[in-house]
Amino acid sequence: MKIKNICCIGAGYVGGPTMAVIAQKCPEIKVTVVDINENRIKKWNDPDVEKIPIYEPGLSDIVKETRGKNLFFSTDVDQAIEKADMIFISVNTPTKTYGIGKGMAADLKYIELCARQIARVAKDDKIVIEKSTLPVRTAAALKNILDNTGNGVKYQILSNPEFLAEGTAVEDLLNPDRVLIGGDIETENGMEAVNALVDIYATWIPKENILTTNVWSSELSKLTANAFLAQRVSSINAMSQLCEVTGADVDEVARAVGKDSRIGSKFLKSSVGFGGSCFQKDILNLVYISRSFGLNEVADYWEQVIIMNDHQKRRFAANMVQTMFNTVAGKKIAILGWAFKKDTNDTRESAAIYVADYLLNEQAEIEVYDPKVTEEQIYSDLDYLGSRSGDVNRQAVTVVDSALVACEDAHAVAILTEWDEFVNLDWKKIYDKMYKPAFLFDGRRLLNSKTKKEIGFDFYAIGN
Ligand code: UDX
Ligand code: UDX
């Protein structure tokens, strides 16, 4: 089966970069990315390629190379579905905010809407691929909808979870550790669909790194991978608190531990807490699924990873207040970094949002600088929490376009994202412009403590 037309529903952090790379590597395939959000599609089509809605190193070059040739962005979802041989579903699946499973289960309403739309429009056989991270056995539900509401056409459902990390999406897509494809591998038609997708990835990825499994293993592997990664961060963050009271240094501990080849050195960086669209959501999903099967011990085990992460964010903020003589009311605090990690403009679940919220509850005044996040996004993140009115957020929080401006006349600076540019700021100049004692809280262990203390800062890093 040779694929000529691909449609991807959802032009987000996953759909956008993934389709751009497929288009680049497979010039003979026409790739159309569709989204119901007109504004987002407009930005993807902006003549100035630097204005595409997602910031990822290297992405704009690929879009420049492929857009208008074999990569297209459109809001005409029906037409793209109809023409495609293969449809990726890459819409968001946020944690439910209502009803059963509120705060835990994945909200699958967008996925279901996509399935119903495909069923309504499709006139010939399609391969439908779950790219969104989904609870285990969602593919079965998708198939049920497609088979029972469709125009009698045949569907093969594949699970192809995305393992790219934001900030390194292009690199991860070009050189993935592995690609995972789940399908109905017991049947000939299922295997044919799996192979069609294998062939696409095999254009640039060695075949031995393309794994095929049954659909459920594939779906569960994604949740498991994210749970294991997040667990490592929560594990090292738990140790960071112990380091602070015992005089150990968490980076030294991480280095010593990571040298053990059975453990490995990655994902052992202590921080103010993990964020991003996946870790929390996927673990909550795992917890919810486990509980729904009555596996309470399994659920409790994984839930602890989230509890530890919430604790880390809260204790970082609480420590700031306590250190600043138990009050930050009316004090100006500069927050450097709002994104959930460096090299992305994504702020979903970013620790910065929660730290800022805590400080605002203590009546601090906040000035934020992030190299890639917009003012509008920062206010919308705070408003979303609903802790206070939008007006109050806009009064108490100012967003500026340089680190130096944010730090001027501040009582304290908090580093909440590990942007490279923060390392080489003129810290002496910043110190001179701040109130004294000048407090510097490093939530990312980004800065050299010795040089900052020499300048005169009251310096605090997580895990020291
Ligand atoms: C992805 C995955 O799909 C999600 O499951 C994973 O856990 C996190 O990453 P992401 O690409 O980051 O999501 O989400 P987002 O940037 O929000 O993009 C989703 C897009 O889908 C949005 O632009 C939204 O407008 C679009 N969408 C949503 C549709 O086009 N149709 C819908 O019905 C719903
Ligand atoms: C993650 C997975 O890595 C990826 O495979 C999956 O497809 C989606 O979820 P992402 O959320 O984009 O990717 O970023 P990741 O690099 O995993 O970072 C997640 C969070 O953990 C960030 O807030 C990051 O700052 C934090 N983190 C990561 C740490 O605090 N310490 C670490 O050592 C590593």
Side-chain angles (χ1 to χ4, degrees), residues 69-145:
K69 290 199 184 93
N70 66 327
L71 176 66
F72 300 89
F73 295 92
S74 162
T75 49
D76 192 343
V77 185
D78 279 4
Q79 197 197 16
I81 290 175
E82 200 189 321
K83 295 228 164 106
D85 323 303
M86 188 178 256
I87 302 166
F88 286 82
I89 302 184
S90 190
V91 298
N92 42 337
T93 50
T95 303
K96 272 185 90 175
T97 52
Y98 55 89
I100 293 177
K102 178 178 169 185
M104 285 290 220
D107 192 340
L108 299 179
K109 70 176 174 210
Y110 301 129
I111 297 282
E112 177 161 350
L113 284 174
C114 286
R116 291 189 185 277
Q117 189 165 13
I118 294 170
R120 179 170 53 74
V121 172
K123 298 205 179 70
D124 49 16
D125 297 356
K126 310 275 184 210
I127 299 174
V128 176
I129 303 173
E130 309 176 326
K131 196 78 195 156
S132 306
T133 311
L134 297 168
V136 187
R137 305 192 85 111
T138 309
L142 266 179
K143 187 156 177 55
N144 201 339
I145 294 171

Side-chain angles (χ1 to χ4, degrees), residues 9-15 34-37 40 54 89-93 110 113-114 131-134 166 222 277-278 281-282 346 348:
I9 309 180
Y13 283 89
V14 169
V34 292
D35 203 297
I36 47 172
N37 182 335
R40 210 167 205 183
I54 282 161
I89 302 184
S90 190
V91 298
N92 42 337
T93 50
Y110 301 129
L113 284 174
C114 286
K131 196 78 195 156
S132 306
T133 311
L134 297 168
E166 289 174 33
K222 171 67 190 270
S277 67
C278 286
K281 183 186 67 159
D282 290 357
D346 193 350
R348 285 176 286 183

Side-chain angles (χ1 to χ4, degrees), residues 4-7 26-32 70 72 83:
K4 293 201 188 69
N5 261 297
I6 289 179
C7 156
C26 308
E28 69 292 349
I29 299 179
K30 181 178 171 192
V31 181
T32 308
N70 66 327
F72 300 89
K83 295 228 164 106

Side-chain angles (χ1 to χ4, degrees), residues 162-309:
E162 189 46 74
F163 294 108
L164 66 79
E166 289 174 33
T168 51
V170 171
E171 176 55 29
D172 294 346
L173 284 162
L174 292 174
N175 299 303
D177 286 348
R178 76 328 205 164
V179 167
L180 181 56
I181 300 172
D184 194 0
I185 50 178
E186 311 272 287
T187 68
E188 205 177 304
N189 289 341
M191 214 45 226
E192 197 185 8
V194 168
N195 284 333
L197 186 55
V198 169
D199 286 346
I200 291 176
Y201 284 114
T203 344
W204 77 96
I205 295 161
K207 271 239 166 96
E208 62 272 21
N209 291 349
I210 305 177
L211 313 181
T212 56
T213 65
N214 76 32
V215 180
W216 299 321
S217 297
S218 170
E219 290 178 330
L220 185 58
S221 298
K222 171 67 190 270
L223 295 185
T224 309
N226 275 345
F228 274 51
L229 290 169
Q231 183 193 42
R232 286 175 67 97
V233 178
S234 274
S235 297
I236 198 70
N237 280 345
M239 290 307 146
S240 74
Q241 192 168 12
L242 203 51
C243 287
E244 288 164 27
V245 294
T246 56
D249 175 310
V250 75
D251 278 347
E252 287 177 1
V253 173
R255 194 167 353 116
V257 170
K259 276 281 180 199
D260 186 326
S261 60
R262 294 167 303 176
I263 297 174
S265 61
K266 293 179 181 163
F267 268 73
L268 284 179
K269 184 80 187 165
S270 182
S271 68
V272 55
F274 60 73
S277 67
C278 286
F279 281 4
Q280 173 161 317
K281 183 186 67 159
D282 290 357
I283 293 175
L284 288 175
N285 242 318
L286 210 52
V287 171
Y288 184 73
I289 296 168
S290 303
R291 278 208 214 292
S292 66
F293 284 110
L295 310 178
N296 288 322
E297 290 77 6
V298 179
D300 290 347
Y301 179 76
W302 287 109
E303 191 166 25
Q304 201 58 39
V305 174
I306 303 282
I307 293 172
M308 186 62 224
N309 196 48

